Amino acid sequence: MNFKSIFVCLAATLINGFCLAQTNQTAVVEDFKTSSTTQSGKQYPQVNSEGRVRTSILAPQALKVQIDIGAVKYDLIKDEKGVWTGESAPQDEGFHYYQLNIDGASVPDPGSLYFYGASRWGSGIEVPAKDQDFYALKDVPHGKISQNLYFSKITNSQRRCFVYTPPDYDKNTSTRYPVLYLQHGMGEDETGWNVQGKANLILDNLIAEKKAIPMIIVMDKGYATKPNQTPPQAGGAPAGGSGGFSAFEEVMINEIIPMIDTNYRTKADREHRAMAGLSMGANQTIQITMNNLDKFSYIGGFSGTSNFPSVAELDPATFSNGKFKDGEALNKQIKLFWLGLGTKEPNPFPGSVGAFRAMLEKAGIKYVFYQSTGTAHEWLTWRRDLFQFVPLLFK
Amino acid sequence: MNFKSIFVCLAATLINGFCLAQTNQTAVVEDFKTSSTTQSGKQYPQVNSEGRVRTSILAPQALKVQIDIGAVKYDLIKDEKGVWTGESAPQDEGFHYYQLNIDGASVPDPGSLYFYGASRWGSGIEVPAKDQDFYALKDVPHGKISQNLYFSKITNSQRRCFVYTPPDYDKNTSTRYPVLYLQHGMGEDETGWNVQGKANLILDNLIAEKKAIPMIIVMDKGYATKPNQTPPQAGGAPAGGSGGFSAFEEVMINEIIPMIDTNYRTKADREHRAMAGLSMGANQTIQITMNNLDKFSYIGGFSGTSNFPSVAELDPATFSNGKFKDGEALNKQIKLFWLGLGTKEPNPFPGSVGAFRAMLEKAGIKYVFYQSTGTAHEWLTWRRDLFQFVPLLFK
């Protein structure tokens, strides 16, 4: 604990009667900088070379202000002007959702950009990763992200779908492209992959280096229920909002894919159609692709499998109505079966993905297993998955 | 003041020592509903038929919580569970930026969607307008909004541009379309017109009713400075961020227009090119179009003119280097000169727009003047401007 930490702790003790967050901290490295997720023109939040997140907020009458990140709350310390400042313990590289707590109120940090995750719009922070170059915004040709609004008869609701088209899509006006359907996780929505996922930049960079075949990526919302299945949600905006997903497979097969094949220049066959997703989206991917192998030949499960949350041993003869039992036939149909996992993922993911892998091996189904080093159930794991997965598609 | 108001005021008096916000209020109509800008799944913020905005937040240790809207702060009242609830005075119809104040900290409302305005990402609330049908999301063919990332050599920076393409753009692959360049106001950015402005829905509805010619709309950021003109901004994300605009005309003429004409199927001549903007964007529109009449023939100034903030009388012979002096010649070149203003706009807008109109009249320049009834310097004024302006374009 350096002099400043001691002083800060002393001040915290005087104000709050105890010193919470600082006691277990070693010296904080004073090389904080604003993050790519700090609002332009704002001074905080900042991140240092250890991955600590520091924020600061004027709250003269507040009794207690905390930053709540990675399921831990860290106390901020008040100065004589009523400005509260403080930092978290070092965080993993990559993107994290967080919030502030002001006298018991959980609120977004007014200095950060906002993202949809944890079933809410709220603050996010980017801790620079050593390998961040692969998703950096570079001066290479960029694809477009298009917002498509459409009415879904199955759910009787307005929906929104984001579509990435590669850099040359509008120039090569007779070329047709393969399609990757890419799904978000629970509590996230159709904005996830093109904002915090950086899917567009990952593809732009891979295509510029000729490491991936130019392709279309479709990012829709993984929630879909029929009108009689759930009460209408608050708000009414097509953006955001979690919900059930009992009708998602039907929406994907009967509405989304036909819409994309009608409105975009796709190669509309199973050889040129992939699906991948993260967490809940991985579970959905495996279920939908295995139920529709006439429509898909590439499968990507990032941090999730269709046995979630069970870690129990699976028998290929009976699991999922025996869909996985004939390994030899499946190996002919499936061009790529990809599973990914971060090395720091919490339970039940290591166990449930492990049980699923064991089942694939028992059935003799070929698959690729990718591990993201030092990342948990978070976006850097999934950005890396996408970066490694996409070069294997449509070749 | 009804029984509940009296009780609430009494409670406020007990807690705060005085009754601030409630004293001048009449009975609150208890027909509050979530707004289209309430996050899906959240219960607050809500709006009632009077246009009052009510919000609610758990803040058990807070001493004072307020909703800050329309430059007035209204006290919320704490219940026994630590939940603070309260409402504003009636607000104008349409969209308003707002924030919460918790023990002196200004923060976004965790229940609202977030918008870029007032030079920050923060809360916004939609108060339903009697004429909201014209910008409603309907089951009509929808155009797309595309995000275009590009590198600007003039500013040596990455920029972002949103482009609306009409519903038939991807079907009629040999058709070329006219283009409207549409600019946001000060403290807003390139997201404004396609989010809170609802430009895409206004166009979708007008095109569906055959009241507007299908067109492309380009929404870029109105800030642009050369590398030596300002220090680099914090953050670095291409989204958001106010700044200077000394290089915007150069970027518009030499980078944005050529990029759009290269990447989209435009009718690339002055007869098929319009520019409009709100407030700062109106000022920019008038300056850029009048400097480049070889490139534009339609001009729209929504709540702004190029003499802002002056309300002094203008002499066409000398104002803007005499660009407006030859009314007869300008009437041949300019197919539409549109000025709009809300009837509740604050100073200096009525005076500055009035002085500009008088100057146009003195020079004999034809123009259309539109007034939005009951709205101030806010988005409902500008949505109505767009709705009235677009049907007059390219005919």
Side-chain angles (χ1 to χ4, degrees):
Chain A
M1 196 179 266
N2 63 9
F3 179 76
K4 195 194 163 216
S5 299
I6 293 167
F7 176 77
V8 159
C9 182
L10 188 65
T13 308
L14 289 173
I15 292 164
N16 298 319
F18 51 88
C19 182
L20 251 189
Q22 308 293 327
T23 45
N24 292 321
Q25 287 187 8
T26 52
V28 172
V29 178
E30 286 298 334
D31 57 358
F32 287 89
K33 290 178 191 158
T34 54
S35 167
S36 60
T37 51
T38 304
Q39 288 189 33
S40 193
K42 298 278 179 91
Q43 206 185 339
Y44 291 93
Q46 299 184 350
V47 179
N48 78 353
S49 56
E50 301 169 278
R52 293 183 199 268
V53 180
R54 174 177 284 174
T55 196
S56 183
I57 185 168
L58 175 71
Q61 286 85 46
L63 304 175
K64 191 173 193 174
V65 180
Q66 298 174 305
I67 177 170
D68 179 355
I69 184 167
V72 178
K73 290 177 180 146
Y74 303 87
D75 288 351
L76 275 59
I77 306 300
K78 188 178 173 180
D79 72 9
E80 69 285 354
K81 291 175 183 163
V83 176
W84 296 73
T85 306
E87 59 279 324
S88 72
Q91 303 294 306
D92 290 341
E93 295 182 330
F95 178 89
H96 313 285
Y97 300 112
Y98 78 103
Q99 61 187 357
L100 300 186
N101 194 287
I102 302 175
D103 287 345
S106 293
V107 293
D109 185 339
S112 83
L113 296 177
Y114 305 123
F115 305 86
Y116 194 76
S119 299
R120 64 166 186 244
W121 283 95
S123 291
I125 186 83
E126 187 77 35
V127 175
K130 282 186 271 306
D131 58 345
Q132 64 185 326
D133 186 68
F134 79 84
Y135 53 84
L137 174 61
K138 299 181 188 174
D139 188 12
V140 298
H142 296 293
K144 283 179 196 161
I145 294 278
S146 299
Q147 172 186 277
N148 295 254
L149 303 177
Y150 67 101
F151 183 78
S152 157
K153 286 184 186 163
I154 295 169
T155 61
N156 191 35
S157 69
Q158 297 281 356
R159 292 177 60 93
R160 182 170 69 167
C161 177
F162 288 100
V163 177
Y164 170 85
T165 47
D168 52 1
Y169 185 85
D170 293 303
K171 281 175 196 143
N172 306 341
T173 56
S174 61
T175 306
R176 303 190 79 87
Y177 295 85
V179 186
L180 166 62
Y181 291 82
L182 187 60
Q183 290 301 125
H184 60 82
M186 176 74 81
E188 295 169 334
D189 72 5
E190 69 273 22
T191 63
W193 270 111
N194 78 72
V195 180
Q196 55 268 49
K198 299 184 181 283
N200 57 332
L201 302 181
I202 293 170
L203 265 285
D204 288 346
N205 294 338
L206 282 171
I207 292 169
E209 293 188 27
K210 299 195 189 306
K211 289 182 179 165
I213 288 177
M215 66 185 74
I216 293 166
I217 301 183
V218 178
M219 296 158 282
D220 207 301
K221 185 169 61 176
Y223 314 108
T225 49
K226 295 194 179 181
N228 55 354
Q229 288 174 326
T230 52
Q233 293 187 1
S242 305
F245 43 83
S246 52
F248 181 61
E249 179 171 342
E250 200 176 333
V251 169
M252 172 63 87
I253 299 299
N254 297 324
E255 294 190 327
I256 300 173
I257 293 177
M259 172 180 73
I260 296 300
D261 285 336
T262 300
N263 294 334
Y264 289 87
R265 297 193 315 274
T266 63
K267 292 183 175 171
D269 57 34
R270 71 180 298 280
E271 278 69 35
H272 299 93
R273 197 179 289 123
M275 184 170 176
L278 71 93
S279 196
M280 177 184 87
N283 186 328
Q284 294 176 316
T285 293
I286 293 171
Q287 297 216 28
I288 292 174
T289 53
M290 290 300 293
N291 285 341
N292 298 276
L293 283 174
D294 59 319
K295 296 196 168 54
F296 297 95
S297 59
Y298 296 86
I299 305 170
F302 307 166
S303 303
T305 43
S306 55
N307 56 325
F308 178 87
S310 169
V311 299
E313 193 180 342
L314 301 174
D315 180 354
T318 55
F319 175 65
S320 199
N321 298 321
K323 284 200 181 70
F324 294 87
K325 70 183 172 193
D326 189 349
E328 202 175 327
L330 290 173
N331 287 337
K332 284 179 191 155
Q333 289 181 282
I334 300 169
K335 296 195 170 181
L336 174 65
F337 202 127
W338 169 286
L339 295 174
L341 196 66
T343 59
K344 291 177 75 174
E345 300 228 16
N347 291 326
F349 296 102
S352 56
V353 172
F356 190 89
R357 290 176 61 201
M359 184 275 296
L360 291 184
E361 286 163 22
K362 216 177 292 176
I365 299 171
K366 289 184 209 155
Y367 70 99
V368 172
F369 181 60
Y370 169 73
Q371 284 195 92
S372 168
T373 303
T375 61
H377 201 67
E378 293 192 292
W379 277 99
L380 186 54
T381 302
W382 308 320
R383 291 176 189 160
R384 287 175 176 167
D385 263 304
L386 187 69
F387 177 66
Q388 300 288 339
F389 175 70
V390 157
L392 306 180
L393 296 181
F394 313 124
K395 285 187 171 169
Chain B
M1 197 179 266
N2 62 9
F3 179 78
K4 197 199 158 210
S5 297
I6 292 166
F7 176 79
V8 158
C9 181
L10 188 65
T13 308
L14 289 173
I15 293 164
N16 299 319
F18 50 90
C19 180
L20 249 190
Q22 307 294 327
T23 46
N24 293 323
Q25 287 186 10
T26 53
V28 171
V29 178
E30 284 299 334
D31 58 357
F32 286 89
K33 290 177 192 158
T34 54
S35 165
S36 60
T37 50
T38 305
Q39 287 188 34
S40 195
K42 298 278 180 90
Q43 207 186 338
Y44 291 93
Q46 300 183 349
V47 179
N48 78 352
S49 55
E50 301 170 278
R52 292 183 198 269
V53 180
R54 175 178 282 174
T55 196
S56 183
I57 185 168
L58 176 71
Q61 286 84 48
L63 305 175
K64 191 174 193 173
V65 180
Q66 298 175 305
I67 176 169
D68 178 354
I69 184 168
V72 178
K73 289 176 181 148
Y74 302 88
D75 289 350
L76 275 57
I77 306 299
K78 187 180 176 179
D79 72 9
E80 69 284 357
K81 290 174 183 163
V83 176
W84 296 74
T85 306
E87 59 278 324
S88 73
Q91 303 294 306
D92 290 342
E93 296 182 329
F95 177 90
H96 313 285
Y97 300 112
Y98 78 102
Q99 62 187 357
L100 300 186
N101 194 287
I102 302 174
D103 287 345
S106 293
V107 293
D109 185 339
S112 84
L113 296 176
Y114 304 124
F115 305 87
Y116 193 76
S119 298
R120 63 164 187 248
W121 283 96
S123 292
I125 185 84
E126 186 76 36
V127 176
K130 282 184 274 306
D131 57 345
Q132 62 183 325
D133 186 68
F134 79 82
Y135 53 83
L137 174 60
K138 298 180 190 176
D139 187 13
V140 297
H142 295 293
K144 283 179 198 160
I145 294 277
S146 300
Q147 172 186 278
N148 296 255
L149 303 177
Y150 66 102
F151 184 77
S152 157
K153 285 184 185 163
I154 295 169
T155 62
N156 192 34
S157 67
Q158 296 283 355
R159 293 178 59 94
R160 182 170 70 165
C161 177
F162 289 100
V163 177
Y164 170 85
T165 47
D168 54 359
Y169 185 85
D170 293 302
K171 282 174 196 147
N172 306 341
T173 55
S174 62
T175 306
R176 304 190 79 85
Y177 295 86
V179 186
L180 166 61
Y181 291 82
L182 187 59
Q183 289 300 125
H184 60 81
M186 177 75 82
E188 295 169 334
D189 71 6
E190 69 274 22
T191 63
W193 270 111
N194 77 74
V195 181
Q196 56 267 50
K198 297 182 183 283
N200 57 332
L201 301 180
I202 293 169
L203 266 284
D204 288 345
N205 293 339
L206 282 171
I207 292 169
E209 293 189 27
K210 299 197 186 306
K211 288 180 179 165
I213 288 176
M215 66 185 75
I216 294 166
I217 301 184
V218 177
M219 295 159 283
D220 207 302
K221 184 168 62 176
Y223 315 107
T225 48
K226 296 195 179 180
N228 55 354
Q229 288 174 325
T230 51
Q233 293 188 0
S242 304
F245 42 83
S246 52
F248 181 62
E249 179 171 341
E250 199 175 333
V251 170
M252 171 65 85
I253 298 299
N254 296 325
E255 295 189 326
I256 300 173
I257 293 177
M259 171 180 72
I260 296 300
D261 285 335
T262 300
N263 294 334
Y264 290 87
R265 297 194 313 277
T266 63
K267 292 183 174 170
D269 57 35
R270 70 179 298 280
E271 278 69 34
H272 299 92
R273 197 179 291 122
M275 184 172 178
L278 71 92
S279 197
M280 176 184 88
N283 187 328
Q284 293 176 315
T285 293
I286 293 170
Q287 297 216 28
I288 292 174
T289 54
M290 291 300 293
N291 285 342
N292 298 276
L293 283 173
D294 59 320
K295 295 197 170 52
F296 297 95
S297 60
Y298 296 86
I299 305 170
F302 306 166
S303 303
T305 43
S306 56
N307 56 325
F308 178 88
S310 169
V311 300
E313 193 179 344
L314 301 175
D315 180 354
T318 54
F319 174 65
S320 199
N321 297 323
K323 282 200 183 69
F324 294 87
K325 70 182 172 194
D326 189 350
E328 203 175 330
L330 290 172
N331 287 338
K332 284 181 191 155
Q333 289 182 283
I334 301 169
K335 295 196 172 181
L336 174 66
F337 203 125
W338 169 285
L339 295 175
L341 196 66
T343 60
K344 292 177 75 174
E345 300 228 16
N347 290 324
F349 295 102
S352 57
V353 173
F356 190 88
R357 290 176 61 199
M359 183 277 293
L360 292 185
E361 286 163 24
K362 215 177 290 177
I365 299 172
K366 290 185 209 151
Y367 70 99
V368 172
F369 181 59
Y370 169 73
Q371 283 196 92
S372 167
T373 303
T375 60
H377 201 68
E378 293 193 291
W379 278 99
L380 185 54
T381 301
W382 307 319
R383 291 176 190 162
R384 287 175 176 167
D385 263 303
L386 187 68
F387 178 65
Q388 299 289 339
F389 175 71
V390 158
L392 306 181
L393 297 181
F394 312 125
K395 287 187 170 169

